[in-house]
Amino acid sequence: MVKAPEDKDYVQSLERGLAVIHAFTDHGPHLTLAQLAQATGLSRPTVRRVVLTLERLGYLRTDGREFALTPRVLSLGDAYLSSLKLTEVAQAHMENVTKVTGHPCSMAVLDGDDAVFVTRVPSRQVMRHTLTTGTRLPAYATSMGRVLLADLPDHELDAFLARAPFPRLTASTKVTAEELMSALSTTRAHGWALVDQEFEEGVRSFSAPVRDARATTVASLSMSVRADELSVDEIRHELVPVVTEAAVEISKQLGAPGS
């Protein structure tokens, strides 16, 4: 965490503050100074200055020994979403998808190797996992992730695939670079992605791209259903058209050309 000598515009204190915030993602909701120092690789005096600053700004709270994030941290994500106007534009369309199909509808964006939920319209369907705003799922094994990966520039996609093979989550998970490239080529050809029990046994998911005014895929609109409830053919013919049409309408409102 040392800035290069030639990088005069790099603000190391900001990097350290963000490192402390991110430490809570992987190491638990309540951390001591010592635990934060270990998680971030920073010295305890440095961590102390950072956490006291974040506490004063309202992003952390403490009981005198341990520190925890406050809801104010969510404002950082809200700033991102507001800048894109994604959720504002998508909400009504997603509600209509759920009303028409009876299944929950979600929107995600790509962050590193993960697809991150930015909004979700629930239904009465009971799924095994509770997915909320901020939930991260591996992009390689999810339909929402594959839609986002499929639109990456070639050099970025090559860098992603270079990290394969990925962990096998179920017996069906595609984990090699060759398998994933084939799946992504199919996604590009069809304009949507379907993942059949690769992330979770008994669950099928499918997603369509949401594009902005530069025709760049900025999000994916997705739906998950139980495998014992709907076959792949039923999903293709009954549900995929509803989701893809909603994705096109959202893209139109974002100014996507040709949508």
Side-chain angles (χ1 to χ4, degrees), residues 100-154:
V100 169
T101 65
H103 297 282
C105 184
S106 304
M107 177 175 280
V109 298
L110 189 66
D111 183 26
D113 291 351
D114 296 330
V116 182
F117 284 83
V118 293
T119 189
R120 180 174 171 83
V121 175
S123 74
R124 296 180 180 179
Q125 297 286 330
V126 178
M127 302 298 286
R128 186 177 304 175
H129 294 298
T130 300
L131 304 173
T132 59
T133 300
T135 296
R136 307 174 73 91
L137 299 181
Y140 74 92
T142 57
S143 65
M144 63 183 66
R146 293 209 184 142
V147 161
L148 297 164
L149 291 170
D151 197 48
L152 286 178
D154 288 343

Side-chain angles (χ1 to χ4, degrees), residues 18-72:
L18 293 173
V20 167
I21 290 174
H22 284 294
F24 291 92
T25 302
D26 298 322
H27 300 279
H30 299 91
L31 299 173
T32 63
L33 281 177
Q35 290 170 329
L36 284 167
Q38 182 177 12
T40 60
L42 299 170
S43 67
R44 287 188 62 169
T46 296
V47 170
R48 182 178 182 276
R49 291 194 297 271
V50 171
V51 297
L52 291 178
T53 299
L54 291 172
E55 182 187 7
R56 183 173 298 181
L57 293 173
Y59 293 103
L60 290 182
R61 57 181 172 81
T62 181
D63 60 6
R65 179 178 178 275
E66 294 182 323
F67 293 84
L69 298 176
T70 71
R72 188 167 188 176

